[in-house]
Every structure is written in C-alpha cells, then in structure tokens.
C-alpha cells in the first residue's frame, strides 16, 4: 500500500498549494467557533450570538473546535477573541488551512483500509499503474476527489475527516464488526448531523444483519432474533449520544441545542441551489411567473416574492405560482423516496454491498427532496458511489456520469475570477483521469462521440456542461444581463445539473433493484 501513501503525499502537496486561494464565509464560521468554545463556558456555547455565524453543529464538533482553539491561541491569540469578527491574519489562515489538511489523514487512512480489505479488483493489472490498477485508481478517485478539494481546501470546511469516519464505519461493516460500525457512525452523527441522511440505511442494515440471521435462500429467519444483540447495539448508540448531549440535557439546554441544529426558518433552498427536485420546482415556478406576468395573468404583487426566490437568499420565501413548500412536505417526500431502498435492503440483505447501495440511495433521496439542502451534500452521494465504481461496469458508468455532473454543480461556490482557472483545471484533471482509468479497467474502447463507458445521450449531456460553463462565466456578461437577470447563471447551472442528478438517482434505483433480483435467483439455485 506504499503507492496509496504516495498518492496521498501528492494530493497533500496540491492542498498546500491551495492555501493562498479564496476562502468563503465558512472560514469565519469556524474561526468564530474557535473563539466561542475557547472563551466561554460550555453553558453558553449554543447561546452566544455576537456573530451571525452561531454554533450550529452537534456537540462533538464543538469539542473538536475547543481542542483546536487551545492550539490556535498559541499561533495567534486574536483568533480566539469573539469580537474579532472576520479576523483572518496570515497566521490564522495558515492554522485553519493546515488543521483541515492534517485531519484529512483520517480520510486517507480510511481509504487505504477500504482498498486493502474490501475492494475486489476487476482484473489483475501492473501494481504501479494508476490507470488500470483498481486499488490505485480508487485511491486517486477518493483521495483526490475534486469536490473535497475545492469544498475543504478552497471554500473551507472540514468534510475530509468526517468522511473518513464514515468510511471507517463502512470498512467495519465489510469486516462484520457491526458494533464498531455502529460506534463510529453514532460518533459521526454527533460531529455533523447532515449524516442523518444515511442513518436509515445503518438502522435497517444493523438490525437486519446483526440481530437476525438469513435462511439459505437469503430470506430472514424471524425466529433467529437476538434481543441481547439489539440491546448491545442500542447501548453503543445511546452511550455515544449520552456523552455528546448529556451535559446539555443536565443543564436543561437540549431544546436550545436542537433549535440550532435544525433551523427550519432558513428556507427551502440554500443560497446556492442544490441541483435537486426543488431546483427544478423553482425553475418551473419562475418560468410560469414570467409567462403569466407577460400575459397579465398575475397581479404585480407577486413580483417581489419571485425576486426573493430567484435571488437564492438563505431565508423563507413564497413561490409565485406553484404552492409554497413547507418543511413537513419535504420530510414526507424524502421518506417516500427512501422507503423502497430500505425495503429492498431488508428483504434482500446480501452483504455489505447491499448496504452501500442503500446508503447511497438514502443520500440520494435526502439530497433530492430534503429541506434547505446544501449543494455540497452531493459529496454524500459521490463518495459512497465511488466504492462501487470499480466492481461493475454499469456502476462505473453511473459514477462517471454523476461525479462529473455533481462536481460541476459545485462551481458556483468558487465565483471569484482568480479561482475560475483553478477549479476548471482541477476538475478537468480529475474527470479525464476518472474516464481514462475506468475505461482501461473495464477494457472498453471509445466509440465515436461516446465518452468511455457512457452512451451517446449521456455523453452529449456531459459535453453540454461546456456551453453551460461558457455562458455562466463569459456569455452572461457579454449579453449585459448581469444587472437585469443576475440569477440566470445560478439557475441554469442548478437546473441543468438537477436533470443529470435526477437521471442518476432513477437509474441507480433501477440497477439496485436488478442486483437484488439477481442475488435472489442465485440464492434459490
């Protein structure tokens, strides 16, 4: 596995080169959390509101910031002063950037563990060939993931080590060490609650595989249920949650913490629309409003509401034509979208790969229909799907399509001119490697206009990202529409990518159902 560490060293060098780049308001978010956890007693962490970027992650992440803050104060004492809003000295930038780079080694270690213990190579290939060796190819695709690079090391967040904990949990499931998997995932939830998206997959799989046994045909043996195993599983989860939330329960602050973690007043969509169902819903609403206004079908009072919606602001808004969406509606839609995946997992639990497929479908459903979904949540689909990409051609095909579409949807995060060539070059390098490598591994020659592994329609869609980017970066300004229609580039990117993500979701559901049918037939034989 020395080559995996070599890949990690190269990617780490790239991360260091990205240190001087633009950073988003998330940089100040985390600096403020360093100050809050360092300067105030525990009882005030979730009440402090000097900055608009209040602490809204679960307690384990707050303790993580607390530990970092005790290093940060020796680097630059001003970092941990609450009133130093938007403080970004050179030392502060270096400290926060390197804190992300160093904690990323949790993710790197987890990738190495998966490649070493869980990956089944498609074919034998030269050990040092990163293009045709399955292990090295997966290491590059995951450690060098374009989305993680720009979100964590330019935009600024701490997703790397969190995905590392997720990956380690998945590895433990492959190894049959279910209690350890539950411990790791419960810990992860108490670091960042966005991983609730995939919690149903863990619940069903662990209940099904740890507390029940399978018959010879793969069906569940109801008489094999073990209350003791369920008790052990529940004890692990409640122990972790108790350590995390216990102090706040003791102080009577649980409602305050929960209100910070789930701020439903932020609105249906994030500032940068995630490419999901609601992005398409918003586009249809906007198109209907424009058409209706020109035909004098709507009163003029609707225009202000539409302007708020299309501005992409982080707040509640009313749709102009279509019914406005409430949080409960998104919860119901999300539940309906993941129930079939959970049912398939329960009825056809054929090992860890079934779990990874269900986990991916849960991430898909939550991303497609959730409330106030961040565009960065697309990584919660791409990372798990990477684990399947090198085992079957059709999964590799869908991974290429989704990863390219999903990564492109992150482009609006880096809107500064200086970072435009950086994001384009990084994505081109990653995408070219992914297509070349998977094409080599599955031994499929390129056919005419088709990209490796993709069909003609899929290839044309992916190539269509080029004119979309040209319009958003150059064409919109040349047409002098910046002031009149400023929302068009964001809307175009979100809507176009939403079509690709929706296609990927539906196709992945179909492939998962087919896999379950094949496994059932094998068991019966």
């Amino acid at each position: 596995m020395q080559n995996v560490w070599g890949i990690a060293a190269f990617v780490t060098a790239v991360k260091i080169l990205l240190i001087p780049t633009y950073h988003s308001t998330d940089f100040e978010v985390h600096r403020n959390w360093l100050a809050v956890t360092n300067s105030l007693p525990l009882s005030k962490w979730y009440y402090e509101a000097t900055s608009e970027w209040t602490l809204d992650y679960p307690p384990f992440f707050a303790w993580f910031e607390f530990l970092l803050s005790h290093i940060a104060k020796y680097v630059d004492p001003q970092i941990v002063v609450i009133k130093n809003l938007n403080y970004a000295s050179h030392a502060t930038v270096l400290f926060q950037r390197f804190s992300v780079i160093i904690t990323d080694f949790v993710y790197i270690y987890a990738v190495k563990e998966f490649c070493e213990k869980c990956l089944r190579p498609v074919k034998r290939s030269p050990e040092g060939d990163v293009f045709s060796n399955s292990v090295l190819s997966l290491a590059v695709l995951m450690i060098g993931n374009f989305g993680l690079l720009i979100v964590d090391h330019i935009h600024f967040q701490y997703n790397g080590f969190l995905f590392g904990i997720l990956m380690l949990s998945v590895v433990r499931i492959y190894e049959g060490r279910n209690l350890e998997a539950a411990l790791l995932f419960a810990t992860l939830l108490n670091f960042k609650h966005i991983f609730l998206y995939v919690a149903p997959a863990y619940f069903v799989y662990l209940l099904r595989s740890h507390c029940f046994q399978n018959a010879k045909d793969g069906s569940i043996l109801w008489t094999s249920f073990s209350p003791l195993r369920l008790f052990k599983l529940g004890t692990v989860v409640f122990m972790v949650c108790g350590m995390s939330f216990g102090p706040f329960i003791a102080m009577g602050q649980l409602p305050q913490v929960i209100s910070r973690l789930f701020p439903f007043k932020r609105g249906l969509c994030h500032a940068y629309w995630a490419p999901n169902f609601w992005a398409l819903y918003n586009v249809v609403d906007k198109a209907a409003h424009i058409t209706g206004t020109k035909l004098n079908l709507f009163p003029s009072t609707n225009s202000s509401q539409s302007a708020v919606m299309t501005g992409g602001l982080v707040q509640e808004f009313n749709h102009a034509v279509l019914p406005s969406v409430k949080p409960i509606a998104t919860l119901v839609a999300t539940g309906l979208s993941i129930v079939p995946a959970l049912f398939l997992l329960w009825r056809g639990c054929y090992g860890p790969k079934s779990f990874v497929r269900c986990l991916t479908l849960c991430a898909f459903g939550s991303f497609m229909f959730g409330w106030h979904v961040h565009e960065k949540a697309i990584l919660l689909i791409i990372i798990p799907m990477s684990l399947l990409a090198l085992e079957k051609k059709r999964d590799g095909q869908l991974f290429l399509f989704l990863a390219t579409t999903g990564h492109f949807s992150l482009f609006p995060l880096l809107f500064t001119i200086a970072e435009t060539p950086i994001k384009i070059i990084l994505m081109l390098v990653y995408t070219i490697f992914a297509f070349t490598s998977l094409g080599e591994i599955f031994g499929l020659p390129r056919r005419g206009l088709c990209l490796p592994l993709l069909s003609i329609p899929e290839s044309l869609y992916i190539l269509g990202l080029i004119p979309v980017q040209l319009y958003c970066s150059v064409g919109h300004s040349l047409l002098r529409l910046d002031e009149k229609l400023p929302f068009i580039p964001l809307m175009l990117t979100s809507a176009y990518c939403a079509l690709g993500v929706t296609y990927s979701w539906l196709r992945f559901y179909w492939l998962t159902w087919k896999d379950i049918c094949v496994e059932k037939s094998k068991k019966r034989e």
Side-chain angles (χ1 to χ4, degrees):
M1 287 295 155
Q2 289 183 346
N3 288 326
V4 173
W5 289 115
I7 292 166
F10 177 80
V11 174
T12 301
V14 173
K15 295 172 183 177
I16 292 173
L17 291 175
L18 295 175
I19 286 176
T21 56
Y22 148 87
H23 54 78
S24 72
T25 53
D26 279 339
F27 183 89
E28 168 59 16
V29 169
H30 288 283
R31 187 218 61 81
N32 182 58
W33 294 356
L34 291 173
V36 168
T37 55
N38 183 269
S39 305
L40 298 176
L42 178 65
S43 61
K44 295 184 178 179
W45 284 4
Y46 286 94
Y47 284 93
E48 166 57 33
T50 300
S51 167
E52 62 180 308
W53 313 118
T54 53
L55 181 58
D56 58 4
Y57 274 24
F60 276 4
F61 200 95
W63 286 111
F64 168 71
E65 295 278 8
F66 173 80
L67 294 175
L68 285 181
S69 73
H70 283 277
I71 303 172
K73 66 183 181 182
Y74 293 108
V75 175
D76 183 347
Q78 296 302 310
I79 296 177
V80 294
V81 176
I82 292 178
K83 294 182 179 180
N84 281 351
L85 303 182
N86 300 311
Y87 185 75
S89 67
H90 182 64
T92 304
V93 172
L94 287 176
F95 173 78
Q96 292 196 221
R97 290 292 197 190
F98 272 107
S99 67
V100 179
I101 292 171
I102 292 170
T103 54
D104 269 2
F105 277 91
V106 175
Y107 177 69
I108 292 168
Y109 171 73
V111 171
K112 184 193 79 69
E113 285 282 285
F114 184 88
C115 291
E116 194 175 61
K117 300 177 179 179
C118 310
L119 181 63
R120 184 183 64 185
V122 176
K123 64 178 182 179
R124 292 184 178 274
S125 54
E127 187 175 343
D129 188 351
V130 294
F131 287 98
S132 58
N133 182 286
S134 297
V135 170
L136 295 182
S137 179
L138 181 60
V140 172
L141 291 175
M142 298 198 71
I143 296 174
N145 181 275
F146 167 76
L148 281 179
L149 273 179
I150 68 166
V151 171
D152 281 10
H153 302 281
I154 299 180
H155 181 80
F156 194 84
Q157 278 193 350
Y158 288 92
N159 293 293
F161 90 91
L162 297 173
F163 275 109
I165 299 173
L166 178 68
M167 285 289 300
L168 285 173
S169 177
V170 171
V171 170
R172 297 298 173 258
I173 280 180
Y174 268 79
E175 294 176 323
R177 297 155 65 177
N178 292 331
L179 289 179
E180 292 178 44
L183 175 67
L184 286 165
F185 185 69
T187 301
L188 177 63
L189 285 181
N190 284 278
F191 268 104
K192 192 169 183 178
H193 51 306
I194 192 174
F195 290 95
L196 281 169
Y197 285 3
V198 298
Y202 272 88
F203 175 79
V204 170
Y205 180 82
L206 290 174
L207 180 63
R208 175 72 165 80
S209 65
H210 191 69
C211 302
F212 290 91
Q213 295 178 5
N214 281 348
K216 290 182 179 180
D217 63 353
S219 61
I220 187 170
L221 282 174
W222 291 100
T223 56
S224 66
F225 174 68
S226 172
L228 179 60
R229 286 194 162 205
L230 179 61
F231 175 77
K232 289 180 179 179
L233 204 57
T235 299
V236 167
V237 174
F238 281 110
M239 178 186 69
V240 173
C241 293
M243 290 175 61
S244 176
F245 287 94
F248 299 97
I249 295 174
M251 293 185 290
Q253 294 184 1
L254 185 61
Q256 173 64 17
V257 176
I258 297 299
S259 70
R260 284 283 184 89
L261 299 184
F262 301 100
F264 287 110
K265 291 186 177 180
R266 287 186 176 180
L268 175 65
C269 295
H270 190 242
Y272 302 104
W273 294 354
N276 60 10
F277 175 81
W278 303 121
L280 297 175
Y281 190 87
N282 289 344
V283 170
V284 171
D285 181 77
K286 180 63 178 176
H289 179 258
I290 291 174
T291 303
T293 300
K294 288 185 177 181
L295 297 176
N296 295 319
L297 297 177
F298 304 125
S300 58
T301 53
N302 278 348
S303 60
S304 61
Q305 295 174 340
S306 176
V308 170
M309 182 270 286
T310 56
L313 298 176
V314 185
Q315 60 187 56
E316 292 182 292
F317 58 79
N318 294 317
H319 288 86
V321 179
L322 298 177
S324 292
V325 181
K326 302 300 181 184
I328 187 63
T330 65
L331 180 63
V332 171
T334 301
L336 292 174
S337 72
I338 68 173
V339 163
L342 298 174
F343 177 77
L344 288 174
L345 181 63
W346 181 265
R347 290 293 302 273
C349 188
Y350 299 111
K353 290 176 188 174
S354 299
F355 164 72
V356 173
R357 300 190 80 87
C358 182
L359 183 150
T360 306
L361 283 170
C362 286
F364 255 126
S366 300
F367 183 84
M368 289 294 297
F369 300 104
W371 178 266
H372 195 73
V373 174
H374 286 228
E375 65 294 324
K376 299 178 282 291
I378 193 69
L379 296 176
L380 196 50
I381 307 172
I382 294 174
I383 297 295
M385 191 179 281
S386 306
L387 307 180
L388 304 169
L390 286 97
E391 299 205 9
K392 291 183 179 179
K393 186 198 80 170
R394 59 191 185 185
D395 288 331
Q397 172 191 17
L398 195 56
F399 166 76
L400 290 174
F401 186 85
L402 175 70
T404 307
T405 304
H407 286 155
F408 182 82
S409 73
L410 297 173
F411 269 29
L413 285 176
L414 307 183
F415 53 85
T416 54
I417 295 175
E419 276 63 45
T420 298
I422 295 175
K423 68 183 181 184
I424 291 175
I425 291 170
L426 287 176
M427 179 162 174
L428 280 175
V429 170
Y430 181 86
T431 305
I432 291 171
F433 173 84
F435 275 96
T436 303
S437 178
L438 268 65
E440 287 280 338
I441 288 171
F442 291 106
L444 297 173
R446 182 175 173 179
R447 301 163 292 146
L449 293 175
C450 292
L451 296 170
L453 272 70
L454 301 190
S455 64
I456 291 178
E458 290 169 339
S459 298
L460 291 176
Y461 174 87
I462 293 299
L463 293 174
L465 296 171
I466 297 173
V468 170
Q469 175 59 22
L470 287 174
Y471 176 82
C472 293
S473 59
V474 179
H476 193 66
S477 297
L478 289 178
L479 294 174
R480 299 180 179 178
L481 298 174
D482 294 39
E483 295 185 5
K484 185 177 180 181
L485 299 169
F487 58 85
I488 289 295
L490 175 59
M491 180 184 286
L492 177 61
T493 300
S494 297
Y496 191 84
C497 292
L499 293 173
V501 173
T502 302
Y503 165 79
S504 300
W505 171 56
L506 295 173
R507 181 164 173 77
F508 192 71
Y509 242 126
W510 168 250
L511 293 178
T512 299
W513 181 79
K514 286 183 67 177
D515 270 5
I516 294 295
C517 291
V518 170
E519 290 293 338
K520 276 187 178 180
S521 63
K522 287 181 180 178
K523 291 289 184 181
R524 287 170 182 169
E525 293 173 1

